[in-house]
Amino acid sequence: MKKETECRNKKKDQFEIILIGEGLLVGTVGGLIVLLYRIALQFAGQWLNEIRQFVGNSPIKAVGWFLLLILMAVIVGCLVKWEPIISGSGIPQLEGEMDGKLNPVWWRVLPAKFIGGFLSVFAGLSLGREGPSIQLGAMTGKGLSKLLKRGEYEEKVMLTCGASAGLAAAFHAPLAGIMFSLEEVHKKFSVAVLVSVMTASISADYLASQFIGIEPVFQFEIHHALPQNYYWMILVLGVILGVGGVFYNWFTLKVQEVYQKIPFLNHEIKKVLVPFLLSGILLFVMPEILGSGHNLIDMLTEHQLILGTAIILFLCKFIFSAVSFGSGAPGGIFFPLLVLGAFVGGIFGMFGVRYFGLSPEYINNFVLLAMAGYFTAIVRAPLTGIILIFEMTGSLSQMLSLTVVSLAAYVTASLLRSEPIYDSLLERLLKKQGRQNI
């Protein structure tokens, strides 16, 4: 009996070491793929800016750009038609696979998601890199598990490791990658899985940092922690973000319904063509809202916007993001929703300065707080939201206020009975396939 117990413990220890080794493998390979994807998207953003300057006011060049947009839309639409699982962010699809309801072919998803996501960002669609990065990382984990002939349990662990590595490499956020993969993807906790996921996330982040650097994604200044006499404003902001998050979820799903109900948009190419052509128009009318929106964060936190302009940019970005995502084009909602949350916080801070005697130096505090609160209200993952914003900004001084605003937003969204966005998207995806999310 004693020998049997020792044998089991030995096998358990060996299995945990094997999981750590698999996490390292997935983190390295998945991190490399996501790093290449992130670099490709950087070039896409640079090329879009160069095209804007090249086209200028020339009608002939403008026609040429629209023709190129149509060609890219056709390619993306064909990719979505060929592999429907790449549509949107990819996170609901991953959750569906973890629940045993979906079984995508990894070697089809990897190239299709990479190319489709790149072309969508190059065209200027308001989509983020995090969803595709998470799906690319997860499919890398699945591919490695198939090649190594692992069982179902190990495959799910490797999928989780890949998701963690994808988010870590995409945002230089290893802790958020760990928390998101456990809180949103795996949804089960064990020491063995935790250590394996940590290994994947840290290795992917280390690999990406060697090429891109260790600077936070957002580099705006937070001069001081928000004084506690302003904490009532944090609670008010949390309620606003909770309501706003509920509306965001409703509006995003409603736009998807509109795409489905319009008879003319009965094909993937036609659906994708809508945001691609709209992006071409916006290049000449309002180029600031194209892409994920990093430039908007810079404008907001450097106080280059007045209140009215900020409100207009927020509304336009909100609508364009929904149109882009609702079309089914490959791309995530993380980054755009963080930008939208930042604008809610910035606008709220401007109101505070104008009507409540708030010092202008605290506007950036509300920008940061609103990103976490808006994310929490929409995704319903408060721990991931807090850690993500902390890692993306490098600010440790706001942890208490981040927690307060996230809890207020979470409670508000829950009381309004709004489902988390990824749960709603998965339910709709399964319903489209004639299945139920039970």
Side-chain angles (χ1 to χ4, degrees):
M1 186 72 178
K2 183 177 180 180
K3 288 184 178 180
E4 184 179 347
T5 303
E6 290 177 351
C7 183
R8 287 180 180 176
N9 290 335
K10 185 177 179 181
K11 288 182 178 180
K12 180 180 178 182
D13 293 340
Q14 290 176 344
F15 183 63
E16 290 179 353
I17 293 174
I18 290 172
L19 288 182
I20 293 173
E22 291 171 348
L24 179 61
L25 178 62
V26 174
T28 302
V29 180
L32 179 60
I33 292 175
V34 174
L35 171 63
L36 293 174
Y37 182 69
R38 184 172 174 180
I39 292 173
L41 295 192
Q42 287 182 346
F43 279 110
Q46 293 173 8
W47 293 344
L48 182 62
N49 290 331
E50 292 173 1
I51 286 174
R52 176 190 172 190
Q53 297 174 2
F54 174 74
V55 171
N57 296 321
S58 171
I60 296 177
K61 294 178 181 179
V63 171
W65 174 237
F66 272 97
L67 292 176
L68 183 58
L69 285 173
I70 293 173
L71 176 60
M72 289 191 291
V74 170
I75 295 173
V76 172
C78 289
L79 288 172
V80 174
K81 179 70 174 179
W82 178 64
E83 183 49 75
I85 213 74
I86 70 168
S87 176
S89 73
I91 294 175
Q93 293 90 324
L94 175 58
E95 292 182 357
E97 181 168 10
M98 293 296 292
D99 289 340
K101 297 181 176 68
L102 297 173
N103 187 28
V105 182
W106 65 272
W107 56 265
R108 289 165 62 102
V109 175
L110 280 174
K113 192 74 171 190
F114 194 108
I115 297 171
F118 169 78
L119 292 177
S120 296
V121 172
F122 180 40
L125 271 62
S126 183
L127 298 170
R129 63 176 179 256
E130 75 301 318
S133 297
I134 289 171
Q135 190 174 27
L136 289 172
M139 289 300 99
T140 302
K142 182 173 184 176
L144 290 171
S145 73
K146 296 296 185 185
L147 295 175
L148 296 174
K149 298 181 180 180
R150 295 303 193 232
E152 181 180 351
Y153 176 78
E154 285 183 74
E155 181 172 303
K156 288 188 176 182
V157 173
M158 294 176 78
L159 280 166
T160 307
C161 288
S164 178
L167 184 56
F171 282 154
H172 182 44
L175 295 179
I178 296 167
M179 185 57 63
F180 180 81
S181 62
L182 295 177
E183 188 177 26
E184 187 67 23
V185 178
H186 202 79
K187 297 182 179 178
K188 294 178 182 178
F189 178 86
S190 72
V191 175
V193 173
L194 173 62
V195 176
S196 180
V197 169
M198 286 175 60
T199 305
S201 185
I202 292 171
S203 58
D205 179 64
Y206 176 80
L207 180 64
S209 299
Q210 295 303 302
F211 293 90
I212 298 179
I214 60 174
E215 293 80 12
V217 175
F218 298 127
Q219 299 182 39
F220 56 87
E221 293 185 356
I222 302 289
H223 295 288
H224 304 287
L226 193 68
Q228 292 191 359
N229 60 304
Y230 289 125
Y231 268 48
W232 67 270
M233 295 182 68
I234 297 179
L235 292 174
V236 174
L237 177 61
V239 173
I240 293 173
L241 292 168
V243 175
V246 171
F247 180 76
Y248 176 94
N249 289 356
W250 174 84
F251 191 76
T252 299
L253 297 174
K254 183 60 66 175
V255 170
Q256 283 191 336
E257 290 180 8
V258 171
Y259 272 105
Q260 296 295 330
K261 291 180 179 179
I262 298 178
F264 174 74
L265 302 177
N266 58 356
H267 192 278
E268 285 76 6
I269 293 177
K270 294 179 181 179
K271 293 177 183 176
V272 170
L273 195 58
V274 174
F276 272 72
L277 293 178
L278 181 57
S279 174
I281 297 172
L282 290 172
L283 184 71
F284 303 97
V285 178
M286 192 178 288
E288 295 84 2
I289 68 171
L290 296 179
S292 61
H294 199 294
N295 59 314
L296 291 175
I297 296 288
D298 294 335
M299 294 168 63
L300 184 65
T301 55
E302 292 171 8
H303 310 296
Q304 299 176 6
L305 303 175
I306 61 175
L307 181 59
T309 304
I311 293 174
I312 293 173
L313 286 174
F314 168 77
L315 293 175
C316 293
K317 183 69 174 176
F318 185 94
I319 295 172
F320 185 49
S321 296
V323 172
S324 297
F325 186 77
S327 69
I333 60 173
F334 257 41
F335 209 101
L337 76 82
L338 291 178
V339 173
L340 293 172
F343 265 76
V344 173
I347 293 169
F348 183 84
M350 293 179 194
F351 268 100
V353 170
R354 182 173 295 187
Y355 299 108
F356 303 116
L358 179 71
S359 174
E361 67 177 343
Y362 294 121
I363 290 179
N364 286 2
N365 294 65
F366 284 102
V367 169
L368 181 145
L369 294 174
M371 285 193 285
Y374 204 52
F375 176 90
T376 298
I378 293 170
V379 181
R380 216 64 58 78
L383 292 178
T384 298
I386 293 170
I387 295 173
L388 180 66
I389 299 306
F390 144 63
E391 290 189 297
M392 290 180 70
T393 60
S395 176
L396 278 168
S397 61
Q398 312 297 313
M399 294 303 289
L400 176 59
S401 51
L402 279 171
T403 303
V404 172
V405 75
S406 296
L407 286 175
Y410 184 92
V411 171
T412 301
S414 298
L415 290 176
L416 293 174
R417 299 183 179 180
S418 172
E419 291 291 325
I421 185 64
Y422 293 127
D423 290 356
S424 299
L425 291 171
L426 174 59
E427 182 179 357
R428 181 159 295 188
L429 175 63
L430 294 175
K431 185 178 180 181
K432 185 178 179 180
Q433 295 184 351
R435 308 176 66 176
Q436 290 184 346
N437 186 18
I438 301 176

